[in-house]
Amino acid sequence: MLSLLEQYFGYTTFRPLQREIMEHCVAGKDCLVLMPTGGGKSLCYQLPALMFPGMTIVISPLIALMKDQVDALTANGVRAAYMNSTLNAQEITRVEADSIAGRLRLLYLAPERLAIPSVLHFLQSLNVSLFAVDEAHCISEWGHDFRPDYRNLYALRHQFPGVPFMALTATANERVRDDILTQLKLTQGRVFQSSFNRANLTYRVEPKKKTFDKLVAEIRQRPQQAIIIYCFSRKETEKIAADLRANKIDAAAYHAGMTPKERTRVQDRFIRDQIPVIVATIAFGMGIDKPDVRLVVHMDLPKSVEGYYQETGRAGRDGLASDCLLYYSAGDRFKHEYFIREIEDRAEQARVRRQLDEVTRYCELKTCRRAFLLAYFGEAFPHTYCDSCDICRPTPTVAVPSASPREAAEDYDTELFEQLRAERRTIAEAQGIPPYMVFGDKTFHEMARRFPQSRESLSHIFGVGTEKLAKYGTRFLRIITDYARAHDKTEDTSATPTIVRAKKPVRATVSTSITETVQACNAGKSLESIALLRRLSIGTVLQHLEKASSQGITIKTDHFPFPADRLNRIAEAFKKSGNNFLTPARDSLGADYGYDELRLARIILRNGRAT
């Protein structure tokens, strides 16, 4: 796993809980992952996808989230794709063909697509190793972002009974967690919960007095840094964005009243560092993987603590210090109360009002804000004060825009840092990708601190994987070496490993569950007996045998009865289609031949039984 982590993602260590989650997943077991935004949830299924023999299907709620993750994976050399409404029929056909041919490791789908029979039919033709349900709080009616289509995911458990599920979310209290476990039938799975403490974030609440003047001052202390400003209404986003532009601050509004084309344009400009400030309703931000947002401002009272935590979580995803600022007035409650009174369902009305009470209590705290947020998610803060909220440190401070708490004391060359950022922007514009997909600010901090002078040294910098070293190494090394020569800088080798071990090729492994199925098969048991013994469906037994066979494990098939004439016809259908894919063969043979029969025939033919 460490070899894959360094090769594809450029990291040399795992974050807390990541390795345990991945090992559990690779063993073919269900789990629920509760991890804060920026904690590394996506990697928990992306890296195992490189180890599985089959595909990982990711259920993702937003088009922007899919595109960001697929673009980032592709930039790292991982074969991934998505299927959503932005693709035309020809593009969807190409993605399906790549999936069936085994050319993809991950495929992202929206939950709405799973209601389409042809999509389910397509999934059943694949060798699926894992279902990852991202933003899993959307499945719960008690969550802050309920999506009815998520409720239909339980059907996948019946159609793919032997395939493990991983559900992931950054915002779930105890009630929402229980709902996720129940809805996805994960009650036998393991719950992994990492700390919800975002140590790099500073939390502040300030009274609504001369708010716009204070906002301008905050932005001007972070020139050209990425900033998100959340407002209650569409009208307010337009006004604040216009007022900021009048003060020579490059800002754009974003809200649901804009056309999809307008929203996409604004979002893309923000992600690509072409506009630093976005003024938005809460319609903006979910699924945006931009790691270098340095300030998140709430101009109005949020609806819930969960929503507030998720929105502030968009700051500092790269681990560098960032600020979360909320302007509060007790009168803000009345805006929400108006809409709450319009809710006809009394139980729902009471639930929404309780959420409002909690977030109001947060704003009026006299004790540590960090401790309150952690307690809300069931976690105790082990210290008496956090030193990074306005209660624990009353004097307002602005977080250093480009240093994490750990790195604040470590100097780096800001001039070189800006040169590296400028080169990144040039590369990103030429390739049509967001700048952070080239390298993140954290990577440039380390380059501008250590001045690597060779490709070997550069390969040990945080975030520089094999693929990116090959793509971009020469360009950034040239900048660093030229700058070091001109300013008489030498390479800092103190952090470079003195012992380097050759990377060994990582072989995909089969889980213990698959091994047990193979052992039963090779002992001469029938498919029905194996299914009964292992408490699996026959379809899952066949998937296990195929996975093992694809890894070169011998499968004994002589004891499986199979009419010679039907086996011959299936073999001919595979030959005629030019491959061993199930769907083309079944289309040729007709509905009289089922997928389980085709799978068994494919196993028999692969293991050498004559036709």
Side-chain angles (χ1 to χ4, degrees), residues 190-209:
R190 182 174 169 186
V191 177
F192 292 91
Q193 180 170 340
S194 67
S195 173
F196 279 78
N197 184 20
R198 295 288 305 281
N200 63 311
L201 300 186
T202 297
Y203 299 100
R204 296 156 53 201
V205 177
E206 294 190 9
K208 275 190 170 181
K209 294 179 180 178

Side-chain angles (χ1 to χ4, degrees), residues 216-240:
V216 170
E218 291 282 345
I219 295 172
R220 284 178 174 164
Q221 290 184 74
R222 301 169 178 81
Q224 295 306 306
Q225 294 289 335
I227 295 169
I228 301 175
I229 301 167
Y230 285 110
C231 301
F232 185 80
S233 69
R234 301 173 185 181
K235 183 178 179 180
E236 192 178 5
T237 66
E238 297 280 4
K239 184 179 186 308
I240 291 178

Side-chain angles (χ1 to χ4, degrees), residues 429-476:
E429 289 176 358
Q431 296 186 359
I433 60 174
Y436 68 83
M437 287 186 185
V438 179
F439 286 122
D441 283 359
K442 195 170 181 179
T443 298
F444 286 160
H445 286 169
E446 196 169 335
M447 290 181 185
R449 189 167 58 248
R450 288 172 52 186
F451 299 96
Q453 305 288 297
S454 66
R455 293 178 70 84
E456 173 64 22
S457 298
L458 193 64
S459 72
H460 296 298
I461 297 291
F462 174 89
V464 181
T466 303
E467 189 79 11
K468 289 187 177 180
L469 180 65
K471 280 184 183 177
Y472 312 124
T474 301
R475 294 180 69 159
F476 287 104

Side-chain angles (χ1 to χ4, degrees), residues 81-328:
Y82 56 80
M83 283 172 55
N84 59 41
S85 58
T86 67
L87 303 185
N88 59 38
Q90 185 177 1
E91 290 169 326
I92 288 177
T93 298
R94 184 164 60 246
V95 171
E96 289 180 341
D98 286 342
S99 302
I100 293 169
R103 289 190 285 268
L104 299 176
R105 308 304 298 168
L106 297 101
L107 177 63
Y108 287 73
L109 296 172
E112 293 81 2
R113 295 196 72 82
L114 296 173
I116 304 172
S118 62
V119 173
L120 286 174
H121 182 70
F122 156 68
L123 289 179
Q124 287 169 338
S125 72
L126 304 178
N127 182 12
V128 179
S129 292
L130 173 71
F131 282 102
V133 181
D134 209 357
E135 306 290 351
H137 62 271
C138 293
I139 204 171
S140 176
E141 290 180 308
W142 309 110
H144 66 284
D145 196 34
F146 175 55
R147 294 276 291 270
D149 286 291
Y150 264 72
R151 293 293 236 199
N152 298 326
L153 296 182
Y154 74 91
L156 291 176
R157 301 307 315 248
H158 298 291
Q159 291 155 340
F160 297 87
V163 178
F165 270 62
M166 177 188 290
L168 309 99
T169 182
T171 50
N173 57 29
E174 187 172 353
R175 194 174 195 179
V176 174
R177 291 171 216 163
D178 289 345
D179 206 11
I180 294 170
L181 293 170
T182 300
Q183 292 297 323
L184 289 178
K185 303 190 185 305
L186 299 175
T187 51
Q188 301 303 311
R190 182 174 169 186
V191 177
F192 292 91
Q193 180 170 340
S194 67
S195 173
F196 279 78
N197 184 20
R198 295 288 305 281
N200 63 311
L201 300 186
T202 297
Y203 299 100
R204 296 156 53 201
V205 177
E206 294 190 9
K208 275 190 170 181
K209 294 179 180 178
K210 295 184 177 180
T211 308
F212 185 76
D213 292 350
K214 291 192 286 188
L215 176 65
V216 170
E218 291 282 345
I219 295 172
R220 284 178 174 164
Q221 290 184 74
R222 301 169 178 81
Q224 295 306 306
Q225 294 289 335
I227 295 169
I228 301 175
I229 301 167
Y230 285 110
C231 301
F232 185 80
S233 69
R234 301 173 185 181
K235 183 178 179 180
E236 192 178 5
T237 66
E238 297 280 4
K239 184 179 186 308
I240 291 178
D243 288 346
L244 290 174
R245 290 193 296 270
N247 285 273
K248 296 182 169 50
I249 293 172
D250 195 5
Y254 182 105
H255 56 74
M258 300 163 63
T259 67
K261 187 176 181 179
E262 289 171 330
R263 290 200 303 270
T264 299
R265 179 175 176 272
V266 170
Q267 182 172 289
D268 285 348
R269 289 185 67 205
F270 179 68
I271 290 173
R272 296 174 192 274
D273 290 350
Q274 295 167 351
I275 185 169
V277 181
I278 291 290
V279 188
T281 58
I282 60 171
F284 179 82
M286 184 177 175
I288 303 302
D289 280 342
K290 188 172 174 60
D292 54 357
V293 174
R294 292 290 160 248
L295 173 66
V296 170
V297 180
H298 283 78
M299 302 298 289
D300 301 286
L301 185 67
K303 292 180 180 179
S304 66
V305 173
E306 291 102 320
Y308 173 73
Y309 182 83
Q310 185 181 61
E311 288 146 22
T312 56
R314 288 158 194 158
R317 292 171 66 103
D318 55 6
L320 304 185
S322 306
D323 260 4
C324 306
L325 173 61
L326 192 160
Y327 292 113
Y328 173 67

Side-chain angles (χ1 to χ4, degrees), residues 573-610:
F574 283 139
K575 184 178 179 181
K576 183 180 177 181
S577 66
N579 53 51
N580 278 343
F581 304 149
L582 299 178
T583 301
R586 189 173 186 273
D587 289 344
S588 172
L589 291 163
D592 188 40
Y593 289 75
Y595 279 105
D596 283 350
E597 183 180 14
L598 292 175
R599 279 200 175 93
L600 177 57
R602 190 163 60 180
I603 294 167
I604 290 172
L605 294 169
R606 182 179 287 164
N607 283 269
R609 188 194 293 186

